[in-house]
Amino acid sequence: MNAVVLHEYGGPDKLLYESYPDPVAGKGEVLVRVAASSVNPIDYKMRSGEAKAHFPLVLPAILGRDISGIVREVGEGVSGFAPGDRVMAFTEKAYAELVVVKAADLAHVPQHLDLIEAAALPLVTLTGEQLITRGTKIQSGQTVLVTGAFGGVGRSAVWTAKKAGAIVIAGVRKSQVKDAVTLRADMVLPLDDATAMEKLGFVDAVADTVGGETAAKLLGKVKQGGVFASVLGPPSYANMHPTVRIEPVRAVSDSKTLQTMGEDVVAGKLKIPIDRMVSLSEAGKAHAAAEKGGIGKILLLA
């Protein structure tokens, strides 16, 4: 097969499209012919070595966590999947034409969900869902502020909190306020507006996807006994707020939730924007573009 291989840490040019040994499905595993994968921030942080402390690589390595594709073979003991099935997963070594996935991590792509576009969903929807359900544990009637609400993780967190019956404040940039109505949150807060931030009352929880100074400021807006959940680790000065519970969240595979989030996308209840689709062989250029920032996801077509 062909794959995008990283032989050494560095810039986007270190991602080399080359021939690589085909993986083989073992017991409880499924071999998937990949239709698409997607670029996530953790990918380029791993590539550069920035995330080496938490996500060390054994080089040469294949990056990528999202896949959608077609089942080619099923390993011993696998039930519920058969060759030809349309599937998606939060997995590893996704920048390749073939990927072996644990059957337990694999979800069927819902009918009417485009197979290519399904690759945009796994990491961001699971992270956003778990930021709420495992992180904030928000309850009906409580108020939660979601930072970076216009991103894929933020959108998924807003939707999950709304499903839980929470009062949701979407934290976005001033330039995004008008468009943020599409998120269907109860309120919209421009996080880069000092006056608006000062007027914000206390909330039961913050679901943070941006970190930095914004996160540090919002710690003081959480009620005593409230929760600050983040995908970026504890904010600065966390020890200055002993009455606030800090909950770091790192996404884990959950095929049932992934399938449900996919069904919500089909139903029009959740939208994960896609910026562009490029060939897998253009992964280096895709990384360079992703590192410049933006809202939509970049998909790699295998």
Side-chain angles (χ1 to χ4, degrees), residues 5-66:
V5 185
L6 181 72
H7 292 271
E8 59 181 314
Y9 292 111
D13 61 314
K14 299 300 182 182
L15 295 172
L16 304 180
Y17 185 68
E18 58 190 40
S19 179
Y20 199 83
D22 289 1
V24 178
K27 185 175 182 179
E29 295 178 332
V30 175
L31 180 66
V32 178
R33 174 58 173 94
V34 177
S37 55
S38 79
V39 178
N40 292 290
I42 187 60
D43 299 346
Y44 49 77
K45 291 177 182 178
M46 291 174 70
R47 184 212 71 226
S48 69
E50 179 184 344
K52 191 188 304 183
H54 299 291
F55 297 96
L57 294 173
V58 176
L59 300 172
I62 298 175
L63 302 177
R65 303 304 307 273
D66 295 327

Side-chain angles (χ1 to χ4, degrees), residues 127-138 144 146 157 160-161 207:
T127 303
E129 194 272 347
Q130 291 167 17
L131 184 59
I132 297 299
T133 59
R134 294 173 47 225
T136 68
K137 298 182 176 68
I138 203 72
V144 59
V146 179
T160 300

